[in-house]
Amino acid sequence: MHQAPTTFEVEAAAIRKRRMQRGISIAHLAEQVGCSDSYLRKLEGGTRRRVGPEIYVPLRTALDATDDDLLANRER
């Protein structure tokens, strides 16, 4: 039986690029995701790379992204 990952390793530059392309501020995206601005800055800056599904799923949804768009070590 396949279990969902407990954490996801995200690509900092991909998060920032998608947010900027959509013209969303860090504050607005953080509100949509349900995290703090500083947490999102750490994700975009690469100082925090792993997130749980409670952050990853809303982040992916808010950015209208796929796993291939946001996860590290994926072909682009």
Side-chain angles (χ1 to χ4, degrees):
M1 187 161 128
H2 177 35
Q3 291 185 340
T6 57
T7 62
F8 298 85
E9 186 175 347
V10 294
E11 183 66 46
I15 294 170
R16 180 176 171 77
K17 180 179 177 183
R18 288 195 72 89
R19 179 181 65 77
M20 299 287 283
Q21 286 174 338
R22 282 156 183 69
I24 303 171
S25 70
I26 287 179
H28 184 73
L29 182 57
E31 183 179 314
Q32 287 182 309
V33 172
C35 67
S36 68
D37 296 11
S38 64
Y39 186 89
L40 194 56
R41 282 188 183 88
K42 289 176 185 175
L43 288 177
E44 283 195 2
T47 58
R48 175 134 194 146
R49 296 192 45 95
R50 292 200 162 279
V51 297
E54 69 281 355
I55 297 295
Y56 178 71
V57 172
L59 177 66
R60 187 182 63 197
T61 300
L63 293 175
D64 192 28
T66 65
D67 289 342
D68 287 338
D69 295 328
L70 298 182
L71 295 179
N73 303 317
R74 294 269 184 148
E75 294 292 324
R76 286 195 172 52

